[in-house]
Each structure stands twice: as C-alpha cells, then as structure tokens.
Amino acid sequence: MGELVRYKSLLIKNDARCQVTINFYHNWDVVCWLRHASNVIRPGTTFSRSHKKGCRIELIARFESDSEKGKKVLSKPQAWASDQSIRITDNLDIEMNTLTSEEKKSCLRKKNRGEELASLEAGGCNLYNILRLNMKEVRAMAKKEQDEEIKKAYYREIKIWHRYCNPDGDDDIAREVIMAYEILGNREKRARYNNMADYDSGWLSMRRFKAIFFPECETMAQRLAWIKRMGFLALTVGIRNHRSICK
C-alpha cells in the first residue's frame, strides 16, 4: 500500500497509426531545453513509468508515409505530478484520465520487474533476463540442459504473467516472455542471438573475438555462412599483403 502512495505513475496508450515520442524534463528545467530521458511508443502499444518525483513530459507524433513525413507536437511540456492515464487516439487527439487502481498496480509491477531485470546481470537486460535466467550460466551448460532450463523458465514466467494462468498478470510482460522464448527456445535463433550479444560486448572483448572467429553454429547454413565469411576475410588479408609486398 505504501508503494502505491509513494510513486507517481503514468500510463500512455498509443492508439494512433504512428509512433509517438515522449520526452521527460526535470521540473527545474522551466524552459525544457535538456531532456533527461526519451522513449518511443509504437502504434498499438502502451508505455508506463513510475517515479517518486514527478517531471515534465512532452508528446510528439512522428509519421512517415509515401505522402507525408514529419512530426506533430501533441502536448507541449507539462507537469506530471500525479497518477495519469493518457490515450492517444487515431486522430492524434489526447484523452487524459485518472489511473485506476489496477492500472496503477500494473505500472508498479513493470517498474519492479524492470529494476529486478536490471540487477540480474551487468551490462543491461537481455532475453535471458526476461526469463529470469543468467545468460552466462545458461550458455555454460550443455545444449540439452540449456533447452530444458529455458523451457522451465518460460513455463514459470508465463504462469506468473499470462492472464489465462493468473488474473493479476500483465499482457505486455507476457508478450515479452513469449517473444524471448520464441528466440531462445529455438537453437538456431538462440545461436544467432548469442553471437550478436557477443559481438556487441565491446571492441576489444574476447566475446567479440569469439563471435567473429568462433561463433555458435547450429545449422549447416550457419556453418557455411561462417566459412564463407572467413574465406572473404582471408582473401582480403592476402590481397593487401600481396600489394604491400609488390610496393
């Protein structure tokens, strides 16, 4: 109950056919020159945020089609100091209401889950974290054990967040869990994701070196692609060495 009172929650539903950007400004920034955070809300999705201190928010619609391209300011920076529910209609109108108790609880659940996922592993959240797994520990297991661990984690999380299993669940989080399992539950997709995660780990990291020269390959197509890539690399190095010798 105390958490419901301490935190101010914001829920935005984007029913428009274009992306909407929400910019956050500190309350002391009266001119609203320096935004401290920004998020993109895709069409047909919702965005929630809970914070102890309010701030100023600005909503901007960004549209791009064959006939037009540009942006429209839906809401100039205004104070967010209480629980609010904002709906952006198909005509880019804004409907503002007070959050219901269920919507407030949903916002706080997402806040707590976000903090929990961020604390699971250094370097930010990944698909393994969505299933509350440690990426490094799972990848150290044998392939069959990985499959079993990921499946077990998926069923555990879906029972918590899917409304069919739990009336107090959350549709957005359930979709995240399903999306994570669709990738990690498939060995080929999981190998591709692991290689991408390794490659993005840093310029001089061993994980990037591994992703380039010793990537995970689950199918013949992945192995052939790696052989082809190494062949082009060797050919490029050979041509450069030949040119340097000729000079």
Side-chain angles (χ1 to χ4, degrees):
M1 184 65 183
E3 193 176 42
L4 289 174
V5 177
R6 289 199 310 271
Y7 284 90
K8 302 174 182 66
S9 296
L10 176 69
L11 179 66
I12 300 177
K13 302 175 183 177
N14 183 12
D15 290 336
R17 287 174 289 181
C18 61
Q19 291 185 347
V20 174
T21 301
I22 177 170
N23 297 322
F24 294 90
Y25 301 90
H26 291 290
N27 281 325
W28 52 260
D29 187 2
V30 181
V31 187
C32 295
W33 279 353
L34 302 172
R35 63 174 181 264
H36 69 85
S38 181
N39 293 90
V40 175
I41 310 171
R42 297 189 303 275
T45 62
T46 60
F47 169 83
S48 65
R49 186 183 179 98
S50 297
H51 203 273
K52 289 183 179 180
K53 296 181 180 179
C55 60
R56 297 176 184 271
I57 60 173
E58 176 186 37
L59 295 173
I60 300 175
R62 301 183 183 276
F63 43 86
E64 182 175 355
S65 63
D66 297 335
S67 58
E68 57 180 348
K69 178 180 180 180
K71 65 180 182 179
K72 177 183 178 182
V73 177
L74 303 180
S75 171
K76 293 182 179 180
Q78 57 179 316
W80 162 44
S82 60
D83 295 335
Q84 284 185 339
S85 173
I86 300 175
R87 176 176 173 265
I88 303 168
T89 67
D90 188 40
N91 298 324
L92 297 180
D93 295 325
I94 291 182
E95 298 177 356
M96 303 186 68
N97 296 292
T98 304
L99 276 181
T100 65
S101 60
E102 288 301 318
E103 289 174 334
K104 172 86 172 183
K105 290 178 181 178
S106 176
C107 292
L108 292 175
R109 279 200 302 267
K110 291 177 181 178
K111 176 194 73 68
N112 293 334
R113 178 173 170 81
E115 293 175 351
E116 179 188 1
L117 296 184
S119 65
L120 282 177
E121 196 167 337
C125 180
N126 55 55
L127 294 183
Y128 290 87
N129 293 160
I130 291 176
L131 298 179
R132 284 199 290 176
L133 293 171
N134 184 286
M135 184 178 187
K136 187 175 180 180
E137 292 177 357
V138 173
R139 292 182 65 181
M141 301 176 181
K143 295 293 182 182
K144 189 173 181 180
E145 292 178 352
Q146 289 184 28
D147 296 338
E148 294 174 353
E149 190 70 17
I150 291 170
K151 182 181 288 188
K152 183 169 63 176
Y154 166 71
Y155 283 121
R156 180 191 65 222
E157 293 300 304
I158 208 67
K159 286 179 181 178
I160 296 173
W161 299 112
H162 202 289
R163 291 189 185 275
Y164 182 80
C165 304
N166 178 15
D168 295 327
D170 189 283
D171 293 335
D172 292 335
I173 297 178
R175 279 193 290 269
E176 286 184 357
V177 171
I178 293 171
M179 178 270 295
Y181 182 68
E182 285 179 350
I183 295 175
L184 299 182
N186 181 290
R187 286 193 179 186
E188 180 181 356
K189 293 180 180 179
R190 184 166 75 231
R192 190 181 302 120
Y193 175 78
N194 290 341
N195 292 332
M196 291 175 61
D198 288 342
Y199 187 82
D200 291 337
S201 62
W203 279 99
L204 301 177
S205 67
M206 288 300 297
R207 289 179 60 188
R208 171 168 280 205
F209 179 85
K210 177 186 174 185
I212 296 173
F213 295 102
F214 304 101
E216 292 186 24
C217 298
E218 289 293 337
T219 64
M220 183 57 67
Q222 288 179 326
R223 294 187 183 93
L224 291 176
W226 172 70
I227 293 172
K228 184 178 180 180
R229 189 165 62 248
M230 289 297 99
F232 278 124
L233 178 62
L235 182 62
T236 303
V237 173
I239 291 175
R240 287 185 177 179
N241 289 338
H242 178 71
R243 287 178 178 175
S244 62
I245 292 173
C246 291
K247 289 180 181 180

